[in-house]
Amino acid sequence: QQQVKQSPQSLIVQKGGISIINCAYENTAFDYFPWYQQFPGKGPALLIAIRPDVSEKKEGRFTISFNKSAKQFSLHIMDSQPGDSATYFCAASPLAAGNNRKLIWGLGTSLAVNP
Amino acid sequence: DAGITQSPRHKVTETGTPVTLRCHQTENHRYMYWYRQDPGHGLRLIHYSYGVKDTDKGEVSDGYSVSRSKTEDFLLTLESATSSQTSVYFCAISGLQDEQYFGPGTRLTVT
């Protein structure tokens, strides 16, 4: 059972455009929502993360929008660049005992930004 | 890669042989994780550790065991490798904060 559903599976955007990737979750106990970026042959790298006490978080060209009532969160990449071409994963987790976090992952979105 | 190394980076082995993958960190982080990544399945947690000699199962732990005898090292062992265990394996670490940092991965092929 996929607890975090990510869409679209793949996305093609023109340089300078906005890339939008969406995730939906089911477990209301989730309280931490990170996005990871992965280039071919590399490990995932944390891009940006949000907690449910805020509806939006922005870091440079990357913004997370969070809708707690709809149990959805999305990644917006403004002014998309060819260097942003990568696979993006959303994840979510509840806070477990001992401050441990077992992330539940979406299946990823392959983003291609055309020059 | 946040002071995380994985070895070997690539390995080809035969069905039925034991395989051990090593994750080494220099960050002194408490938590360490082993994931596998497969097309269509994303990242799936195999095992994790919350301290020396303290480990627990993830969602796909069958056929895998782990050990952590030192803070900096987390070993993943495939007792008897099968073709279904062909995958890319990632180690991750996290400390007192929520962020998990990933190693460069090990590509394992079981023939």
Side-chain angles (χ1 to χ4, degrees):
Chain A
Q1 182 181 5
Q2 189 65 32
Q3 295 188 52
V4 177
K5 294 183 179 180
Q6 184 172 344
S7 63
Q9 188 174 5
S10 62
L11 181 62
I12 300 174
V13 174
Q14 293 301 118
K15 179 182 176 181
I18 303 174
S19 304
I20 301 175
I21 304 171
N22 301 299
C23 283
Y25 63 97
E26 300 168 1
N27 190 340
T28 55
F30 290 162
D31 69 342
Y32 173 67
F33 304 88
W35 283 91
Y36 282 79
Q37 179 189 56
Q38 185 178 28
F39 293 105
K42 303 290 186 181
L46 180 65
L47 195 59
I48 187 173
I50 198 169
R51 297 183 186 281
D53 53 343
V54 296
S55 60
E56 186 175 281
K57 183 175 181 180
K58 184 175 182 179
E59 289 185 3
R61 296 184 293 108
F62 301 91
T63 300
I64 298 180
S65 296
F66 184 79
N67 186 328
K68 187 174 181 178
S69 61
K71 293 187 285 186
Q72 295 176 347
F73 58 110
S74 60
L75 176 69
H76 292 65
I77 306 174
M78 313 301 287
D79 187 25
S80 298
Q81 299 297 311
D84 297 330
S85 298
T87 301
Y88 293 81
F89 292 93
C90 65
S93 83
L95 182 62
N99 214 38
N100 179 33
R101 287 203 176 272
K102 292 166 63 175
L103 293 173
I104 309 299
W105 295 81
L107 296 184
T109 296
S110 177
L111 171 66
V113 181
N114 290 334
Chain B
D1 291 323
I4 309 169
T5 57
Q6 292 185 232
S7 59
R9 293 294 314 279
H10 302 271
K11 186 171 182 65
V12 180
T13 191
E14 293 185 350
T15 299
T17 60
V19 176
T20 296
L21 308 183
R22 179 181 184 237
C23 177
H24 179 79
Q25 60 147 330
T26 58
E27 306 296 323
N28 199 36
H29 281 351
R30 176 181 179 185
Y31 300 104
M32 298 186 75
Y33 308 83
W34 276 108
Y35 290 90
R36 61 178 290 174
Q37 185 174 39
D38 305 285
H41 292 277
L43 284 146
R44 292 181 290 175
L45 182 66
I46 305 171
H47 282 280
Y48 66 98
S49 169
Y50 46 95
V52 173
K53 291 185 168 51
D54 291 324
T55 64
D56 205 348
K57 296 179 179 180
E59 60 180 301
V60 289
S61 59
D62 288 349
Y64 302 95
S65 62
V66 290
S67 66
R68 191 171 178 194
S69 60
K70 298 184 292 185
T71 298
E72 58 266 34
D73 290 326
F74 193 31
L75 303 181
L76 176 71
T77 297
L78 288 64
E79 305 289 348
S80 177
T82 67
S83 58
S84 65
Q85 293 176 312
T86 292
S87 185
V88 180
Y89 291 86
F90 288 102
C91 173
I93 64 173
S94 67
L96 296 177
Q97 305 303 317
D98 297 313
E99 294 83 1
Q100 288 189 18
Y101 300 97
F102 283 76
T106 293
R107 182 172 295 277
L108 176 67
T109 301
V110 183
T111 61

